[in-house]
Amino acid sequence: MQTIRPYRAGDRDACLALFDGNAPRFFDPSERADFAAWLDTSTHPYLVILHDGRIVACGGHAIEAGGSVASLCWGMVAQDAHGQGLGRALTQARLDAIRAMPGVASVRMNTSQHTQQFYARFGFEPVKVTPDGFGPGIDQWDMLLSLKGTEPEHGHIAPVPLEKAYRLLNHGPSILVSARHGGVDNVMAAAWACALDFAPPKLTVVLDKATRTRALVEGSGSFVIQVPTAAQLQLTHAVGTHGLDAQPDKLVRAGVRLFQREGFDLPFVAGCSAWLACRLIPEPHNQAAYDLFIGEVVGAWADTRVFRDGHWHFEDAGPDWRSLHYIAGGRFYAIGEALDVDT
């Protein structure tokens, strides 16, 4: 059984043990004294998560002078419990508490290159990166989350009936594939994707064996297909050109912003025109022989500024909303004008 409760003085040793288990990769050992002092003297809210009576995560937050800025403080999860959703639960609990406080407009935090991508899922954006800022081999990432006006475009996102989800791909756009597994998110571009079936709706996408996203899809059994816009031309090319293994901060460099949708433990790329959440239908032979993956669409959404009432409306939207169609060598085309036959 898992519970979240406020920190108590008797939790001190257990919290310090969590720190010790995460050093030296996530914390420099020299920071231990500062953490111990925080536990002993801080009056700011601090939480612990217990699983079967054992403290497996802890973290707090503070409201800075003036009351408009909050900060996340000393968040950590037991080393043997990483990848079980505890960090997500701890972060969400702290953000919920902060959002309930009137006047707080933003949340800042300092983390490392190892966890910056995790916090990016919640909308945190990098402000500054200091190499070795926490100690040798541990860069300091200063990140900020705006609580006012965050992701305003999400107000235009509406569900698409699953029986019409195929229409999101019928015009053959280049797409973005995103996936999450083991605490790692990634996004790649793909040119070969198409609708496959109506009920239940299915689609296919080709994922090369060399891509990290493919491994995340195989590990998690789920993924998201996104339709990027002409405004995301450089982003689309960047995530399709650079791999996560060679460039661990590729999403930050490409300007990718991720967001969540309730009920789906998947990373969605902000700014796209359509999204299809998929459950992988395992086909080992097709995957191994042809790199061909089949997904059942379990959720679909579109931005109503360009897709509504079951139809695309590129002709009524600005040119930045047009879908991308990749040819080769960095050359894309944007979708053209609509042509209607006489009936």
Side-chain angles (χ1 to χ4, degrees), residues 246-267:
Q247 192 178 88
D249 61 345
K250 78 170 223 180
L251 299 187
V252 173
R253 293 193 187 191
V256 174
R257 292 177 297 133
L258 301 176
F259 68 98
Q260 301 281 135
R261 293 210 64 86
E262 186 175 356
F264 295 87
D265 185 18
L266 288 165

Side-chain angles (χ1 to χ4, degrees), residues 29 60 69 94 109 132 139 151-152 160 230 261 287 306 312 326:
V69 179
R94 292 186 286 171
M109 66 167 304
D132 298 330
D139 301 338
E151 308 293 8
V160 173
R261 293 210 64 86
Q287 292 167 204
V306 69
W312 287 105
Y326 187 63

Side-chain angles (χ1 to χ4, degrees), residues 199-272:
K202 301 183 185 71
L203 57 78
T204 63
V205 61
V206 173
L207 304 175
D208 189 88
K209 295 179 178 66
T211 63
R212 182 71 175 277
T213 302
R214 171 174 172 152
L216 300 181
V217 170
E218 292 175 323
S220 66
S222 58
F223 57 96
V224 183
I225 296 294
Q226 281 99 171
V227 180
T229 68
Q232 296 173 303
L233 173 65
Q234 295 298 330
L235 180 155
T236 301
H237 187 256
V239 299
T241 303
H242 301 289
L244 190 64
D245 292 330
Q247 192 178 88
D249 61 345
K250 78 170 223 180
L251 299 187
V252 173
R253 293 193 187 191
V256 174
R257 292 177 297 133
L258 301 176
F259 68 98
Q260 301 281 135
R261 293 210 64 86
E262 186 175 356
F264 295 87
D265 185 18
L266 288 165
F268 292 77
V269 179
C272 295

Side-chain angles (χ1 to χ4, degrees), residues 97-113:
I98 291 170
R99 286 191 173 98
M101 304 181 73
V104 179
S106 60
V107 185
R108 70 176 188 174
M109 66 167 304
N110 303 321
T111 190
S112 73
Q113 73 270 29

Side-chain angles (χ1 to χ4, degrees), residues 139-163:
D139 301 338
Q140 178 175 323
W141 283 63
D142 299 335
M143 306 186 77
L144 186 71
L145 168 67
S146 174
L147 299 183
K148 292 188 176 182
T150 302
E151 308 293 8
E153 67 268 27
H154 290 187
H156 295 279
I157 297 177
V160 173
L162 291 182
E163 64 270 18

